[in-house]
Short mmCIF file of all heavy atoms in Angstrom, two decimals:
data_model
loop_
_atom_site.label_atom_id
_atom_site.label_comp_id
_atom_site.label_asym_id
_atom_site.label_seq_id
_atom_site.Cartn_x
_atom_site.Cartn_y
_atom_site.Cartn_z
N HIS A 109 -6.84 7.75 2.97
CA HIS A 109 -6.72 8.70 4.16
C HIS A 109 -6.05 10.13 3.86
O HIS A 109 -5.15 10.12 3.03
CB HIS A 109 -5.77 8.09 5.25
CG HIS A 109 -5.87 8.61 6.48
ND1 HIS A 109 -5.31 9.88 7.02
CD2 HIS A 109 -6.44 8.06 7.70
CE1 HIS A 109 -5.57 10.08 8.15
NE2 HIS A 109 -6.16 8.95 8.57
N PRO A 110 -6.69 11.20 4.34
CA PRO A 110 -6.28 12.40 3.97
C PRO A 110 -4.81 12.95 4.47
O PRO A 110 -4.27 13.89 3.97
CB PRO A 110 -7.29 13.48 4.59
CG PRO A 110 -7.76 12.68 5.72
CD PRO A 110 -7.81 11.14 5.30
N ALA A 111 -4.20 12.08 5.42
CA ALA A 111 -2.98 12.66 5.99
C ALA A 111 -1.83 11.77 5.31
O ALA A 111 -0.71 12.05 5.52
CB ALA A 111 -2.98 12.34 7.47
N VAL A 112 -2.11 10.87 4.47
CA VAL A 112 -1.10 9.99 3.85
C VAL A 112 -0.10 10.85 3.11
O VAL A 112 1.10 10.71 3.16
CB VAL A 112 -1.74 8.94 3.06
CG1 VAL A 112 -0.59 8.20 2.09
CG2 VAL A 112 -2.30 7.86 3.94
N GLN A 113 -0.64 11.72 2.19
CA GLN A 113 0.29 12.39 1.25
C GLN A 113 1.31 13.20 2.13
O GLN A 113 2.55 13.32 1.64
CB GLN A 113 -0.36 13.31 0.39
CG GLN A 113 0.63 13.90 -0.74
CD GLN A 113 -0.11 14.55 -1.91
OE1 GLN A 113 -1.36 14.69 -1.96
NE2 GLN A 113 0.66 14.88 -2.91
N TYR A 114 1.02 13.80 3.24
CA TYR A 114 1.88 14.61 3.92
C TYR A 114 3.09 13.73 4.49
O TYR A 114 4.20 14.14 4.35
CB TYR A 114 1.16 15.15 5.27
CG TYR A 114 2.15 15.84 6.35
CD1 TYR A 114 2.68 16.94 6.09
CD2 TYR A 114 2.52 15.03 7.43
CE1 TYR A 114 3.67 17.54 6.93
CE2 TYR A 114 3.48 15.59 8.37
CZ TYR A 114 3.99 16.88 8.12
OH TYR A 114 4.91 17.35 9.00
N PHE A 115 2.88 12.53 4.97
CA PHE A 115 3.95 11.62 5.44
C PHE A 115 4.71 11.11 4.29
O PHE A 115 5.91 10.85 4.33
CB PHE A 115 3.28 10.58 6.26
CG PHE A 115 3.01 10.93 7.74
CD1 PHE A 115 1.66 11.33 8.01
CD2 PHE A 115 3.96 10.99 8.67
CE1 PHE A 115 1.35 11.82 9.21
CE2 PHE A 115 3.66 11.32 9.94
CZ PHE A 115 2.31 11.81 10.21
N LEU A 116 4.07 10.88 3.03
CA LEU A 116 4.70 10.32 1.97
C LEU A 116 5.67 11.32 1.46
O LEU A 116 6.88 10.94 1.19
CB LEU A 116 3.61 10.00 0.92
CG LEU A 116 4.18 9.25 -0.48
CD1 LEU A 116 4.59 7.89 -0.10
CD2 LEU A 116 3.07 9.28 -1.47
N ASP A 117 5.36 12.53 1.37
CA ASP A 117 6.28 13.64 0.82
C ASP A 117 7.36 13.76 1.86
O ASP A 117 8.51 13.85 1.50
CB ASP A 117 5.51 14.88 0.61
CG ASP A 117 4.51 14.89 -0.58
OD1 ASP A 117 4.57 13.94 -1.19
OD2 ASP A 117 3.69 15.80 -0.56
N LYS A 118 7.07 13.78 3.18
CA LYS A 118 8.04 13.99 4.19
C LYS A 118 9.02 12.88 4.06
O LYS A 118 10.35 13.19 4.26
CB LYS A 118 7.36 13.99 5.41
CG LYS A 118 8.35 14.32 6.67
CD LYS A 118 7.59 14.37 7.98
CE LYS A 118 8.50 14.73 9.19
NZ LYS A 118 8.87 16.05 9.22
N ASN A 119 8.55 11.77 4.04
CA ASN A 119 9.44 10.49 3.97
C ASN A 119 10.37 10.32 2.72
O ASN A 119 11.55 9.93 2.81
CB ASN A 119 8.78 9.24 4.29
CG ASN A 119 8.34 9.12 5.84
OD1 ASN A 119 9.03 9.40 6.60
ND2 ASN A 119 7.16 8.54 5.98
N ALA A 120 9.88 10.70 1.58
CA ALA A 120 10.63 10.75 0.42
C ALA A 120 11.72 11.71 0.52
O ALA A 120 12.90 11.49 0.15
CB ALA A 120 9.81 11.12 -0.73
N GLU A 121 11.48 12.90 1.17
CA GLU A 121 12.42 13.92 1.45
C GLU A 121 13.53 13.44 2.36
O GLU A 121 14.66 13.67 2.25
CB GLU A 121 11.88 15.20 1.78
CG GLU A 121 12.84 16.35 1.98
CD GLU A 121 12.05 17.63 2.39
OE1 GLU A 121 10.97 17.65 2.62
OE2 GLU A 121 12.92 18.62 2.70
N LEU A 122 13.12 12.70 3.46
CA LEU A 122 14.01 12.24 4.44
C LEU A 122 15.04 11.26 3.79
O LEU A 122 16.14 11.14 4.23
CB LEU A 122 13.23 11.39 5.46
CG LEU A 122 12.71 12.23 6.68
CD1 LEU A 122 11.91 11.20 7.58
CD2 LEU A 122 13.78 12.99 7.42
N ASN A 123 14.58 10.56 2.73
CA ASN A 123 15.52 9.62 2.07
C ASN A 123 16.33 10.08 0.88
O ASN A 123 17.05 9.45 0.30
CB ASN A 123 14.68 8.35 1.59
CG ASN A 123 14.25 7.58 2.85
OD1 ASN A 123 15.15 6.74 3.35
ND2 ASN A 123 13.05 7.68 3.28
N GLY A 124 16.15 11.53 0.72
CA GLY A 124 16.85 12.24 -0.33
C GLY A 124 16.37 11.70 -1.73
O GLY A 124 17.12 11.82 -2.73
N ASN A 125 15.10 11.23 -1.95
CA ASN A 125 14.59 10.75 -3.11
C ASN A 125 13.57 11.70 -3.68
O ASN A 125 13.09 12.68 -3.02
CB ASN A 125 13.94 9.46 -2.87
CG ASN A 125 14.95 8.35 -2.48
OD1 ASN A 125 14.67 7.62 -1.60
ND2 ASN A 125 16.21 8.52 -3.01
N LYS A 126 13.22 11.56 -4.85
CA LYS A 126 12.21 12.44 -5.53
C LYS A 126 10.86 12.21 -4.90
O LYS A 126 10.45 11.05 -4.28
CB LYS A 126 12.06 12.08 -7.13
CG LYS A 126 11.57 10.72 -7.45
CD LYS A 126 11.53 10.47 -8.89
CE LYS A 126 10.88 9.22 -9.37
NZ LYS A 126 11.57 7.89 -8.82
N ARG A 127 9.87 13.06 -5.22
CA ARG A 127 8.50 12.87 -4.59
C ARG A 127 7.77 11.84 -5.36
O ARG A 127 7.99 11.59 -6.58
CB ARG A 127 7.85 14.16 -4.85
CG ARG A 127 6.41 14.31 -4.30
CD ARG A 127 5.86 15.75 -4.43
NE ARG A 127 4.62 15.85 -3.74
CZ ARG A 127 3.82 17.02 -3.82
NH1 ARG A 127 4.26 18.03 -4.63
NH2 ARG A 127 2.64 17.05 -3.11
N ILE A 128 7.09 10.98 -4.64
CA ILE A 128 6.31 9.89 -5.09
C ILE A 128 5.01 10.44 -5.67
O ILE A 128 4.29 11.15 -4.95
CB ILE A 128 6.09 8.74 -4.06
CG1 ILE A 128 7.48 8.15 -3.67
CG2 ILE A 128 5.22 7.75 -4.67
CD1 ILE A 128 7.56 7.16 -2.44
N ILE A 129 4.51 10.11 -6.76
CA ILE A 129 3.23 10.44 -7.30
C ILE A 129 2.23 9.76 -6.58
O ILE A 129 2.31 8.47 -6.19
CB ILE A 129 3.15 9.80 -8.80
CG1 ILE A 129 4.14 10.46 -9.64
CG2 ILE A 129 1.78 10.04 -9.31
CD1 ILE A 129 4.34 9.90 -11.11
N PHE A 130 1.26 10.43 -6.12
CA PHE A 130 0.14 10.06 -5.19
C PHE A 130 -1.10 10.58 -5.51
O PHE A 130 -1.29 11.73 -5.99
CB PHE A 130 0.49 10.58 -3.67
CG PHE A 130 -0.62 10.24 -2.70
CD1 PHE A 130 -0.63 8.98 -2.14
CD2 PHE A 130 -1.61 11.13 -2.34
CE1 PHE A 130 -1.59 8.63 -1.21
CE2 PHE A 130 -2.55 10.85 -1.53
CZ PHE A 130 -2.65 9.52 -0.97
N GLU A 131 -2.09 9.74 -5.33
CA GLU A 131 -3.64 10.07 -5.63
C GLU A 131 -4.36 9.58 -4.50
O GLU A 131 -4.40 8.34 -4.17
CB GLU A 131 -4.13 9.71 -6.88
CG GLU A 131 -5.45 10.12 -7.24
CD GLU A 131 -5.99 9.95 -8.65
OE1 GLU A 131 -5.23 9.50 -9.56
OE2 GLU A 131 -7.20 10.03 -8.86
N ARG A 132 -5.10 10.51 -3.79
CA ARG A 132 -6.10 10.08 -2.77
C ARG A 132 -7.46 9.83 -3.46
O ARG A 132 -8.12 10.60 -3.98
CB ARG A 132 -6.28 11.17 -1.78
CG ARG A 132 -7.05 10.68 -0.50
CD ARG A 132 -7.36 11.82 0.44
NE ARG A 132 -8.26 12.64 -0.03
CZ ARG A 132 -9.53 12.50 -0.37
NH1 ARG A 132 -10.11 11.41 -0.02
NH2 ARG A 132 -10.30 13.53 -0.79
N LEU A 133 -7.75 8.41 -3.27
CA LEU A 133 -9.21 8.11 -3.78
C LEU A 133 -9.51 6.67 -3.12
O LEU A 133 -8.68 5.96 -2.60
CB LEU A 133 -8.98 7.88 -5.26
CG LEU A 133 -8.36 6.52 -5.98
CD1 LEU A 133 -8.61 6.51 -7.37
CD2 LEU A 133 -6.85 6.66 -5.70
N GLU A 134 -10.78 6.41 -3.16
CA GLU A 134 -11.31 5.27 -2.66
C GLU A 134 -11.39 4.12 -3.85
O GLU A 134 -11.39 4.56 -4.99
CB GLU A 134 -12.80 5.49 -1.96
CG GLU A 134 -13.73 6.08 -2.86
CD GLU A 134 -14.92 6.47 -2.21
OE1 GLU A 134 -15.15 6.02 -0.99
OE2 GLU A 134 -15.86 7.22 -2.70
N TRP A 135 -11.59 2.92 -3.44
CA TRP A 135 -11.57 1.81 -4.33
C TRP A 135 -12.84 1.75 -5.32
O TRP A 135 -12.72 1.19 -6.33
CB TRP A 135 -11.45 0.47 -3.55
CG TRP A 135 -10.07 0.35 -3.00
CD1 TRP A 135 -8.91 1.07 -3.21
CD2 TRP A 135 -9.81 -0.40 -1.98
NE1 TRP A 135 -7.92 0.65 -2.52
CE2 TRP A 135 -8.35 -0.30 -1.63
CE3 TRP A 135 -10.48 -1.51 -1.20
CZ2 TRP A 135 -7.76 -0.98 -0.59
CZ3 TRP A 135 -9.92 -2.14 -0.22
CH2 TRP A 135 -8.47 -1.91 0.08
N SER A 136 -13.85 2.40 -4.88
CA SER A 136 -15.03 2.50 -5.74
C SER A 136 -14.96 3.49 -6.89
O SER A 136 -15.81 3.52 -7.72
CB SER A 136 -16.27 2.70 -4.86
OG SER A 136 -16.09 4.09 -4.23
#
Side-chain angles (χ1 to χ4, degrees):
H109 198 289
V112 165
Q113 186 166 11
Y114 170 77
F115 284 92
L116 187 65
D117 292 346
K118 182 180 184 69
N119 284 323
E121 184 178 357
L122 276 177
N123 288 281
N125 299 137
K126 70 180 186 299
R127 188 177 185 182
I128 296 173
I129 298 171
F130 175 81
E131 184 170 344
R132 188 186 65 76
L133 76 171
E134 56 186 347
W135 294 339
S136 60

